Amino acid sequence: MGTPPDTQVGAGPSVQSNGRGHAIVIGGSITGMLAARVLADHFERVTVIERDQVPDEPGFRKGVPQSRHIHLLLLRGKQILEQLFPGLVSDLIMAGAPEVDFVADAKRFSPAAGWGPRFPSKFALAPCSRELLEWAIRRHLVANPTITYRAGYEVRELIASADRSSVVGVQMHARTTDAAPQPATALYADLVVDASGRDSRTPRWLESMGYVAPATTKVNSFLGYASRYYDIPQEVRADWKILWVLSNPPATTRTGGILPVERNRWMVSMFGAAHDYPPTDEAGFLEFARGLAHPAIYDVLRRSTSLSPIYGYRRTENVLHHYERLPRQPERLIVIGDAVSAFNPFYAQGMTIMAIAAQLLDRCLHEQRRQANGELTGFAQRFQRALAKSNATPWMLATGADFLYPTTEGGQRSWLMRLMQGYVDQAWAVGASEPQVYTAFLDVMNLLQSPAALFRPAVLTAVLKHKLRPTPAPIDSDIATPPEASVGQRERSVGDQLDR
């Protein structure tokens, strides 16, 4: 663990200090920026330390390899971001993000339920690339005079108090292409927040301070992505903006999605679970799309012009570090975001969970001020326990769905999880013909409501009726083709109908 070097920035705080002069955030991605925005309301200065150099315009960063795939900011996440950064959504729309009603403008095919219902809804989104969203948030963030964003630096060590009971700062190193080692800079703070993502070094840092690393739970459904951008062809006059063809685990493992983003492009992603990874070559990508449960996406792609290579990504396991269970931990160090709980990105929870965690951090800091007059002793442990409770529901939703694949490894599927997942599956099937049930389902998936919303009398009654008197899955006559048609006939029919 680091000791103060010759180069120092800021004075080291006293271990007994209850001051809120300076906070450090390790990691400048979305989680780190949201944390920094909240901390700016509680500390005189906030420093964000980001390993990558950040682009002046929306662009790819090595530290976010998953950014080249479909990202959805769920409705609750959108609401929180707009609260933290007023005008952010308008900025995204001005930059070209389309305005989309996630129900009325989307066609979804599920092998279990057929085509989903479409009606005007409250689920208004502004889908865009991860690069645009991150860039827009950063523009708002750096406009705050309380916040300093230090790009091109990394934290290699923490600075501990003399008795190692508290973290009082970090050792910061400039990242350069020069082979010569760069001198460390000691940066002191009253609170250090690790928002560095899945590759967090905090478990090792804890061990070096004489603490134990947190226990870890992993659940891996072995899901992979393959994605690319396409130009939106003018000749496609479809009545949808979003198109999904979903899997039906464990019977089918493949999902495909088309999402409109800025610059009049489609982001197209293929997903395959249970080791059924989508290929990243041209022929394999299209063949994978052709193997989806419905040919709609394949037919669109074979008539569209690609704008990028095909990018693959397979680091999708759910990982939960149990900081809340540590018998003891250093003061003034908290861990947030993927550094604590990384979720399978297929369920689009990640960015919204980050926003919820930032909101929780704000609430906990306010409570700490009321209860302890701002003194931060004990805050780290209380926050980690509160964060674990907040993450419990999205963890159950993500891993419960992943456990439907028999090849999934890790963790344990409780009887309650089995019961809940079976009921959720029934609610999804009923939602194909019951708008009220479908809205309740989307409320839960958008993290607006707890799963208890699916057990409200009206929803429960509809699900039970469906269970007792099952009805055939609805058929979308606009796209459906006779099952006995040849592949060529089916492709031509689907193409003709999609253009109507």
Side-chain angles (χ1 to χ4, degrees):
M1 188 54 51
T3 55
D6 294 335
T7 306
Q8 301 181 8
V9 178
S14 165
V15 175
Q16 288 78 33
S17 171
N18 67 353
R20 295 193 179 188
H22 187 209
I24 292 173
V25 179
I26 305 172
S29 192
I30 289 179
T31 299
M33 290 192 290
L34 296 181
R37 168 60 189 85
V38 165
L39 293 169
D41 290 340
H42 298 271
F43 291 81
E44 296 174 9
R45 295 184 299 118
V46 179
T47 301
V48 180
I49 304 173
E50 168 54 43
R51 296 177 75 250
D52 289 343
Q53 294 290 347
V54 297
D56 294 331
E57 300 292 333
F60 177 75
R61 287 197 301 113
K62 289 184 179 180
V64 194
Q66 71 274 25
S67 69
R68 287 166 164 164
H69 306 276
I70 280 181
H71 278 67
L72 273 176
L73 183 63
L74 302 179
L75 184 55
R76 186 174 178 189
K78 175 189 170 186
Q79 293 170 348
I80 296 173
L81 261 64
E82 184 65 20
Q83 292 170 6
L84 293 175
F85 304 104
L88 176 67
V89 175
S90 295
D91 289 350
L92 295 174
I93 293 172
M94 287 291 292
E99 297 180 81
V100 173
D101 182 326
F102 196 65
V103 178
D105 294 330
K107 293 183 80 77
R108 298 176 189 81
F109 180 83
S110 166
W115 290 96
R118 300 176 68 184
F119 51 87
S121 78
K122 64 183 177 182
F123 299 99
L125 305 179
C128 63
S129 68
R130 168 67 180 262
E131 287 94 340
L132 175 60
L133 179 61
E134 188 172 297
W135 173 80
I137 293 173
R138 190 163 56 247
R139 287 185 65 203
H140 279 259
L141 191 79
V142 299
N144 189 323
T146 302
I147 300 170
T148 301
Y149 193 103
R150 302 290 294 271
Y153 291 85
E154 66 178 326
V155 173
R156 297 179 185 172
E157 293 181 274
L158 301 177
I159 301 175
S161 60
D163 61 1
R164 301 201 170 195
S165 66
S166 180
V167 171
V168 297
V170 302
Q171 300 276 26
M172 184 175 69
H173 297 253
R175 300 186 75 221
T176 68
T177 56
D178 192 339
Q182 299 297 313
T185 298
L187 195 62
Y188 290 99
D190 298 282
L191 182 68
V192 175
V193 179
D194 179 6
S196 59
R198 285 179 179 259
D199 294 321
S200 166
R201 298 176 180 176
T202 292
R204 285 175 285 167
W205 288 336
L206 290 178
E207 290 177 330
S208 70
M209 292 179 66
Y211 297 85
V212 297
T216 300
T217 300
K218 294 185 179 181
V219 177
N220 193 351
S221 65
F222 300 98
L223 177 133
Y225 279 49
S227 303
R228 78 189 315 184
Y229 288 106
Y230 283 83
D231 182 43
I232 299 180
Q234 294 182 355
E235 63 270 18
V236 172
R237 299 179 300 277
D239 66 342
W240 50 265
K241 294 181 180 179
I242 298 174
L243 181 60
W244 288 104
V245 175
L246 304 175
S247 60
N248 183 31
T252 59
T253 57
R254 297 182 177 186
T255 294
I258 298 179
L259 191 75
V261 295
E262 71 277 8
R263 292 164 50 191
N264 196 42
R265 297 174 298 168
W266 279 328
M267 168 63 78
V268 178
S269 289
M270 298 295 151
F271 313 82
H275 302 279
D276 185 17
Y277 299 123
T280 56
D281 63 283
E282 184 81 28
F285 186 80
L286 287 175
E287 189 60 29
F288 189 94
R290 187 173 180 172
L292 296 171
H294 194 284
I297 290 179
Y298 166 74
D299 188 75
V300 171
L301 297 188
R302 69 187 180 87
R303 298 181 295 128
S304 302
T305 302
S306 63
L307 299 175
S308 74
I310 301 169
Y311 303 103
Y313 186 74
R314 297 183 182 181
R315 195 179 183 187
T316 61
E317 66 273 16
N318 302 279
V319 182
L320 190 62
H321 300 288
H322 296 282
Y323 285 97
E324 79 282 2
R325 298 181 187 173
L326 290 178
R328 53 188 288 269
Q329 63 188 87
E331 300 288 351
R332 303 176 186 275
L333 171 69
I334 64 171
V335 191
I336 197 169
D338 282 1
V340 174
S341 51
F343 294 81
N344 183 342
F346 177 76
Y347 306 107
Q349 297 175 315
M351 294 189 296
T352 297
I353 291 171
M354 297 174 195
I356 293 171
Q359 200 173 51
L360 176 66
L361 176 60
D362 182 56
R363 184 166 68 248
C364 288
L365 284 168
H366 278 296
E367 291 174 356
Q368 188 77 10
R369 187 179 295 277
R370 290 195 301 269
Q371 297 173 5
N373 195 30
E375 166 62 49
L376 290 173
T377 300
F379 175 75
Q381 188 175 64
R382 283 191 286 273
F383 174 75
Q384 298 300 161
R385 290 176 178 174
L387 183 62
K389 291 180 181 178
S390 176
N391 286 335
T393 293
W395 176 266
M396 180 186 69
L397 292 172
T399 58
D402 280 353
F403 275 125
L404 295 175
Y405 298 102
T407 55
T408 296
E409 294 182 357
Q412 294 181 348
R413 191 183 183 197
S414 67
W415 68 269
L416 180 61
M417 185 178 290
R418 292 175 184 271
L419 180 65
M420 175 63 73
Q421 189 60 50
Y423 182 80
V424 168
D425 291 344
Q426 287 293 321
W428 168 252
V430 174
S433 57
E434 296 283 347
Q436 184 178 9
V437 176
Y438 193 56
T439 299
F441 181 88
L442 289 179
D443 276 341
V444 173
M445 293 300 105
N446 277 266
L447 304 180
L448 294 168
Q449 300 284 342
S450 76
L454 296 176
F455 291 89
R456 291 172 180 165
V459 176
L460 183 60
T461 299
V463 172
L464 291 177
K465 286 182 177 179
H466 181 271
K467 183 70 174 176
L468 294 173
R469 295 189 297 274
T471 57
I475 298 299
D476 188 324
S477 59
D478 287 342
I479 295 184
T481 55
E484 66 274 11
S486 68
V487 171
Q489 291 172 328
R490 182 176 62 176
E491 290 172 357
R492 287 192 296 273
S493 177
V494 170
D496 293 342
Q497 299 295 341
L498 279 172
D499 281 346
R500 290 181 182 176

